[in-house]
Amino acid sequence: MSNIRVRFAPSPTGPLHIGGVRTALYNYLFAKKHGGTFLLRIEDTDQGRYVPGAEDYIIESLKWCGILPDEGQGIGGPFAPYRQSERKEIYQKHALELVSNGSAYYAFDTPDELDAKRQSEAAAGNHNFKYDHISRRAMKNALTLPAHEVQHRLATGEDYVIRLKVPENETVMFTDLIRGEVSFQTGELDDKVLMKSDGMPTYHLANIVDDHLMKITHVIRGEEWLPSTGHHVLLYRAFGWEAIMPKFSHLPLILKPDGKGKLSKRDGAKFGMPVFPLAWKAESEEDSFDGFREFGFLPQAVINFLAFLGWNPGTEQEIFSLAELCEAFSLEKISKGGARFDYDKAKWYNQQYLHAAADSDLAAQIKPLAEAKGYQVSDEYLAKVCHLMKGRATFLSDLVVQASYLFGDVQSFDNENIVKRWKPESHPNFEALAVLMESTEPFDAPTLEERVKNLMTERSLKPGEVMPLLRIALAGTMQGPGVYEMMVVLGRQRTVARLRRAFDYFDTLNP
RNA sequence: GCCCCGUUCGUCUAGGGGUCUAGGACGGCGCCCUUUCACGGCGUUAACACGGGUUCAAAUCCCGUACGGGGUACCA
């Protein structure tokens, strides 16, 4: 067991976005590759954005994907609690430590005052007001106020925040495992709030403290965090942890299919595809979504697809099981540029996995779908249907939807093709086929094929004038599995009855 | 605006100075298989953003420009 430790640290503000799932996946793969530990931490420091149910959703999603954490919220472990709202005192203590060593300071400017300041600055032509080493000299904080007044304000319970005191003129540099050296001039960085007036830490403080305390060795997160990593390094420095801080890797973003910006929850409806792993039910229709699972995706396919969205092993193999991904994964092979969400590729992966899946496994998975449609069939029968249909299905649901005629009577006939092909005068020939079916023994595909071919020869019938009509009689459509295979699955009784009924119906179209 | 990051076929990508007349996959197109639809097989389409360097040699290294993305909150 190596001491590699990584974390997935989502915020429970709603359903877990597919980009978040990929971040979790890469963390999981990296941990497994190195025999390390993958942990789940819930970053719920924003009380205002907390959404009930989101935490369970996150865990359910990881479970569905098969990438459950080894440690963390919902699992437990030596560094509990793993929910940041339950670690308030820890952050408070650490923030105070920074205040006392001069790396942070109290500030009393209210949100309203800051807004007003931004507006007045904007009116004066400065559109990028920052609370930084220059502007802090003119604000209400422990750097400008006399010590006794600061004490008084604190003592009387006035609202305050603690801000990071960013040095004026330094270069802060770190090595990103994906991007190489990245550096920032501290003069460009603002004095980030570390502790909010409600007593909660901001992400910036909490993630540094927790990553250190939880002995995280590698931070693998989205690119949206790259710009604030300068602050994070400054924080490690302020705590005296810079020499042992985690290695950073910033993942490229997943972009909209049209490439215009990062993929967002609204893109699902816009492009007719899922952007969440599982369904999410909110109060409004607009905020409720179906997930990959509800669309009929297999989790293995989603994982394979996601793994390849921004990563590539450098070989020409495209299909990878989770275990193979763990073996092949490396951070160095992650690409730097953002990757568009390629839904066609996702569907292709699903089709590949569907095709390769065992009939019985598929049967178990579509059973709820079949039952929901009111179909009452045995597991064995379901497996036979899967065997017939899986080669031409993209989604799990296709196995049920496209095979409706295997579960019940034909719902609609392809009348156009019937009219084109059916000749009432050959009804006797088709009746002869039905009679043939009644006696064919054994009732299997090779035997049926042989007998039908013999009969066609005897009566000088061409396959083209027989097979399409048999197909339509059994399935109603010109599409589907082999005619003889369908007959076997339907069984002798249903086949014969269905044929006779259909031929009578055909007569009514072409009298 | 400012800061950070990025830029190879339509898309995901391989490529880490010569083996690149740039490889694979998805998509598209065509053919074969099959008197269904798919699967499958074969073939085809199509890219190193631009401009300067460095070098005997650059898709690969450096600089600039353009374009794209991200960040710029008492959100994460």
Side-chain angles (χ1 to χ4, degrees), chain A residues 444-509:
Chain A
D444 62 24
T447 311
L448 285 166
E449 180 169 6
E450 189 194 330
R451 298 291 165 79
V452 172
K453 279 186 171 163
N454 290 342
L455 188 135
M456 287 193 290
T457 310
E458 286 164 20
R459 298 188 170 229
S460 305
L461 293 166
K462 293 198 198 94
E465 44 190 346
V466 174
M467 301 309 288
L469 284 160
L470 282 184
R471 168 178 299 288
I472 295 174
L474 294 170
T477 165
M478 286 287 283
Q479 304 171 2
V483 169
Y484 305 113
E485 283 76 18
M486 278 198 288
M487 287 177 173
V488 174
V489 168
L490 285 168
R492 190 196 305 278
Q493 302 307 325
R494 276 199 291 175
T495 297
V496 173
R498 208 174 267 201
L499 288 179
R500 290 205 166 109
R501 193 149 22 111
F503 298 150
D504 287 343
Y505 169 67
F506 292 177
D507 273 340
T508 69
L509 292 179

Side-chain angles (χ1 to χ4, degrees), chain A residues 12 40-45 50 55-56 59 72-74 79-88 90-91 200 210 214:
Chain A
L40 174 67
R41 187 171 70 220
I42 300 295
E43 311 229 330
D44 58 347
T45 54
Y50 178 78
E55 189 181 307
D56 287 341
I59 294 171
Q73 183 58 33
F79 300 97
Y82 292 94
R83 204 184 269 134
Q84 290 185 327
S85 58
E86 295 170 14
R87 301 170 62 82
K88 263 173 105 166
I90 298 173
Y91 309 121
M200 280 289 192
D210 283 346
M214 296 179 183

Side-chain angles (χ1 to χ4, degrees), chain A residues 208-457:
Chain A
I208 267 63
V209 169
D210 283 346
D211 285 345
H212 177 259
L213 259 26
M214 296 179 183
K215 300 195 184 327
I216 298 302
T217 58
H218 298 258
V219 169
I220 303 169
R221 75 217 316 188
E223 189 182 358
E224 66 268 28
W225 294 112
L226 197 45
S228 52
T229 306
H231 287 103
H232 301 340
V233 173
L234 248 22
L235 274 166
Y236 281 112
R237 189 177 292 174
F239 281 118
W241 302 333
E242 190 174 3
I244 53 167
M245 71 179 181
K247 299 263 189 296
F248 292 100
S249 299
H250 288 93
L251 269 22
L253 265 16
I254 297 180
L255 274 20
K256 297 174 191 293
D258 62 14
K260 302 217 174 298
K262 65 174 174 178
L263 189 69
S264 73
K265 60 181 179 181
R266 301 279 174 228
D267 293 325
K270 184 174 174 187
F271 296 98
M273 61 195 196
V275 293
F276 296 103
L278 313 177
W280 173 262
K281 292 290 164 242
E283 288 179 14
S284 72
E285 186 70 20
E286 193 186 12
D287 289 315
S288 299
F289 309 94
D290 272 340
F292 274 87
R293 184 176 63 184
E294 291 69 30
F295 267 69
F297 280 88
L298 260 21
Q300 298 89 332
V302 175
I303 287 297
N304 200 154
F305 164 66
L306 244 29
F308 272 65
L309 213 52
W311 174 84
N312 185 292
T315 66
E316 291 186 350
Q317 183 181 345
E318 305 271 340
I319 304 294
F320 278 78
S321 67
L322 187 56
E324 289 174 313
L325 287 172
C326 291
E327 181 56 37
F329 191 74
S330 80
L331 291 172
E332 293 72 25
K333 291 221 168 267
I334 292 174
S335 42
K336 300 181 182 74
R340 293 191 197 189
F341 187 86
D342 184 356
Y343 192 47
D344 279 329
K345 199 69 164 268
K347 286 191 283 193
W348 177 77
Y349 268 113
N350 205 235
Q351 185 190 297
Q352 297 297 310
Y353 277 86
L354 229 37
H355 204 157
D359 299 333
S360 55
D361 285 350
L362 292 177
Q365 293 192 70
I366 65 167
K367 195 170 183 182
L369 299 177
E371 284 171 350
K373 283 198 170 279
Y375 303 148
Q376 301 205 329
V377 292
S378 66
D379 292 354
E380 291 70 31
Y381 188 79
L382 232 30
K384 285 180 192 168
V385 173
C386 290
H387 183 73
L388 237 47
M389 303 301 294
K390 69 179 181 183
R392 64 207 85 225
T394 299
F395 302 113
L396 223 32
S397 47
D398 290 342
L399 263 18
V400 177
V401 175
Q402 293 181 3
S404 65
Y405 50 82
L406 295 176
F407 293 108
D409 290 339
V410 175
Q411 295 301 311
S412 70
F413 283 98
D414 180 350
N415 289 341
E416 195 180 328
N417 264 298
I418 297 168
V419 169
K420 200 158 71 186
R421 296 163 192 276
W422 180 250
K423 298 190 200 95
E425 58 271 28
S426 58
H427 196 138
N429 288 328
F430 283 90
E431 172 54 26
L433 280 163
V435 171
L436 183 73
M437 301 302 159
E438 284 179 317
S439 62
T440 298
E441 198 66 52
F443 197 76
D444 62 24
T447 311
L448 285 166
E449 180 169 6
E450 189 194 330
R451 298 291 165 79
V452 172
K453 279 186 171 163
N454 290 342
L455 188 135
M456 287 193 290
T457 310

